[in-house]
Every structure is written in C-alpha cells, then in structure tokens.
Amino acid sequence: MEISKVGVLGAGLMGHGIAQVAAQAGYDVVLREVDQARLDKGIGRIEKQLGRAVEKGRMEQSDADAVRGRINGTLDYADYADCDLVIEAITENLQQKLDMWRELDGIVNDGAVLATNTSSLSVIDQAAATRRPGRFVGLHFFNPAQVMPLLEVVQTVTTDEESLKTGFEFGERLGKTCVHAKDKTGFIVNRLLVPYMLDAIRAYEEGVGSIDQIDAAMKAGANHPMGPFTLLDFVGLDTTKSIADIMFDEYRERRFAAPPTLRKMVAAGFYGQKSGRGFYDYSGDKPVAVDPGL
Ligand code: CAA
C-alpha cells in the first residue's frame, strides 16, 4: 500500500523521534500533542537534533529545512483525516489509548493502517476497539528512535497480510531492521531485555557487585553500549516498572516481577535520567552511581 502522509500521536520521548525519522524518509508527517507547550517541546527536540546533524556534517542545511518543513504540529485530530498510516506513541495507558482510537477511528480514512508503538500492552486490545482490527499493527521503535536500528512489526490475530506488509515497507523505507513478532506481551526484545535489567537489580540486592561494577562488567564483558543500570536510568525506572508489572500480570513469572529496590525508587520519584536521579545522580558533570540505600 502506498503511504504518503503519516500521522504520529504524542510528541514525547518516542513520538518526536518517530516523527523525525518518518520525515527524514520523505513522508509528510502530522504530529499531535494535547497542548501547545508539549507540542513545542517535541518539535523543539526535533529541531535540535536536525541542527546537530547539520553541525556534524551529516546533513545539509537545505535537507534539514526540508525535513522540518514536512512535519506539521497540531492539537487537532481532524488533521489526521487523510493520513495513510497513523502511529500512536502516547502514554502507556490502555484506557487513554482506547479513548484516543475511538475518537480518531471515525476521522481517519477507512483505507489507512493504524499502529501502536506500545512496548508492553497487547496490540489486540487496541485493534479490537477500532472498526478496523484487520488494519491494525504494532510498530515498536526503540529509544532513541533516530539511532536504534530495530523496528518490531507486530501481527495480532486479526492483522491482515496487506497491513503487515505495509508495516514492513514503512520500516524498510525508514532504514530500520524489521523483525516480525507475534502479539505476545513484550514481543521479542522486552521479553528478553526486561528480565535482564530486573536481574541486574537482583544481583545488586544480593551483593554480587556495586552498581558501577555491574555496569562496567556488562560493557566490557558483553560489549553492551551501556551497562544495565545506565540503561535502566535511560529507559526510565517508572517506565521499566510499568512494563515489568504488565508482563508479570500477563505471565505470572518471577523473572518479570519488579524487585523491591525498583518499586521503592519509583515511589521516591527517582526515575533515572529524566528526573536527575536513578541508580546514578545526574546533577554533576558526569553521572555518579548512588547506593539506593533501600
Ligand atoms: N536522539 C537522536 N540522536 C541521538 C540521541 C537522541 N536521543 N542520542 C544519541 N544520538 C546520536 C548522537 O547524535 C550520535 O550521533 P553522531 O555519532 O552522528 O554524532 C550517536 O547517536 C551516538 O551518540 P553519543 O556519542 O552521544 O553516545 P553513544 O555513542 O554512547 O550512543 C546510544 C548513545 C545510541 C544511546 C548508545 O549508548 C546505545 O545504543 N545505548 C543503548 C540504547 C538502548 O538499548 N536502547 C533501547 C532501550 S529499550 C527500548 O527502547 C524498548 C522499550 O520498549 C523500553
């Protein structure tokens, strides 16, 4: 199916990155937020990244201007009427997503494919809330979406072949490595990555090593770009806990259970990089590991 206009819902951490990579691939993009301040913040992040790309010689100024010109910010669902593909990247809350789809489904043209960037909810729960469960896929991007090469293309029990193919064609045009995943909570990556991050916390709780030693070990011993605690702070401790809780609810397996340290840190508001403190303190020149003392 030919896509020319892509709608992205949510200009937060994932949404702004998805909008940017779609515009870089030549699509016209409409990007919505719930208020002007959030929309300006998301568009500002895109402009900053484009500016950096020009500074570093990775992009010509004229190309950056063209990418920016293809992204239209809006507060209005009516601007999604002529989209061919709509990807939601709003808060990871099923009820909010269902409310949004119920409103949008009647506005977007019937031929369009709808997609969710959910990292942990079952895609079918959203698909079934629309009038087009056949034309609904999961498109799971990784943070930062501008850099991470993977796209999980998720097929539900209702997804039709044409919509699945559209998901793959879109991802390939973005230059992503596309993998096919079934609609099992966590898909491929989080099913493996979340227990690994939770196990790093358990290793710390059991006294195997300190936070910075465990991080150093996994970087140098497994060639990971970030150790598990740096990654936890990067993903967000609140986000990780919410994904773990959803996976635990679904599978009832200990490997998905949030360890007490994680639960307490989230309760204390230590969310990682975004709040200035997680397993590291980000207030100084460089991050310093802090003993959660819990
Ligand atoms: N947006 C756009 N570009 C970014 C960026 C961002 N947020 N962060 C970094 N970059 C770019 C930089 O501009 C830089 O590009 P150039 O080399 O062309 O200048 C490049 O990425 C490398 O960045 P840095 O030199 O600053 O730092 P780095 O080499 O340490 O790379 C990283 C940063 C790409 C984040 C790397 O550390 C990494 O790959 N970390 C692991 C990230 C990861 O695992 N993500 C998945 C999280 S799980 C998830 O997302 C799924 C989920 O559902 C929770």
Side-chain angles (χ1 to χ4, degrees):
M1 183 190 138
E2 190 65 35
I3 297 174
S4 55
K5 184 171 170 185
V6 176
V8 179
L9 294 145
L13 191 65
M14 296 309 297
H16 88 277
I18 297 169
Q20 184 181 333
V21 289
Q24 283 174 192
Y27 295 111
D28 287 324
V29 176
V30 56
L31 177 63
R32 180 185 182 272
E33 255 303 348
V34 288
D35 59 45
Q36 195 62 44
R38 280 174 220 240
L39 184 61
D40 291 345
K41 190 173 169 203
I43 300 243
R45 284 166 106 164
I46 296 173
E47 288 171 347
K48 195 170 154 208
Q49 296 297 340
L50 291 173
R52 274 184 63 165
V54 172
E55 248 171 56
K56 294 201 162 191
R58 278 187 279 120
M59 202 183 267
E60 294 295 328
Q61 184 64 55
S62 56
D63 291 333
D65 293 342
V67 171
R68 174 65 191 87
R70 283 195 284 275
I71 302 172
N72 285 302
T74 185
L75 302 178
D76 194 353
Y77 285 133
D79 293 324
Y80 287 73
D82 58 346
C83 284
D84 307 299
L85 172 68
V86 178
I87 308 166
E88 76 76 22
I90 68 167
T91 310
E92 194 75 332
N93 174 297
L94 182 60
Q95 196 52 54
Q96 284 183 31
K97 290 181 195 283
L98 297 184
D99 292 344
M100 187 229 27
W101 285 127
R102 283 191 186 110
E103 204 165 335
L104 203 66
D105 193 22
I107 295 172
V108 183
N109 84 72
D110 287 343
V113 173
L114 307 182
T116 173
N117 178 54
T118 184
S119 54
S120 52
L121 299 167
S122 292
V123 176
I124 188 63
D125 293 330
Q126 293 179 59
T130 69
R131 294 172 305 149
R132 58 186 111 188
R135 301 190 70 68
F136 202 107
V137 291
L139 292 178
H140 184 213
F141 288 82
F142 292 79
N143 179 26
Q146 297 93 331
V147 179
M148 298 301 283
L150 184 66
L151 179 68
E152 289 180 319
V153 182
V154 183
Q155 180 178 22
T156 75
V157 284
T158 55
T159 306
D160 63 34
E161 287 305 319
E162 197 204 4
S163 304
L164 186 67
K165 196 162 158 261
T166 300
F168 273 94
E169 284 168 358
F170 172 69
E172 277 152 19
R173 180 147 157 208
L174 264 49
K176 299 294 183 194
T177 299
C178 299
V179 294
H180 181 195
K182 289 286 173 66
D183 185 24
K184 312 266 184 201
T185 301
F187 316 129
I188 297 171
V189 172
N190 279 341
R191 189 186 179 100
L192 300 175
L193 187 63
V194 171
Y196 156 73
M197 293 195 290
L198 300 179
D199 228 15
I201 302 174
R202 289 187 195 105
Y204 168 75
E205 288 175 340
E206 289 163 17
V208 178
S210 64
I211 287 164
D212 46 5
Q213 291 296 287
I214 294 174
D215 267 1
M218 290 311 291
K219 277 177 76 177
N223 235 3
H224 288 190
M226 291 173 163
F229 292 102
T230 305
L231 185 58
L232 277 155
D233 279 1
F234 179 72
V235 170
L237 304 192
D238 53 336
T239 305
T240 306
K241 181 179 174 299
S242 141
I243 296 173
D245 288 348
I246 291 169
M247 293 180 81
F248 183 75
D249 261 2
E250 182 83 0
Y251 299 116
R252 303 280 159 179
E253 290 179 31
R254 181 180 184 264
R255 64 196 169 117
F256 300 116
T261 300
L262 179 62
R263 198 188 63 72
K264 290 177 184 172
M265 289 178 76
V266 172
F270 301 154
Y271 297 155
Q273 270 185 26
K274 62 182 159 193
S275 72
R277 178 165 169 187
F279 288 101
Y280 289 83
D281 181 339
Y282 296 89
S283 56
D285 288 346
K286 62 180 201 166
V288 178
V290 274
D291 177 354
L294 299 163

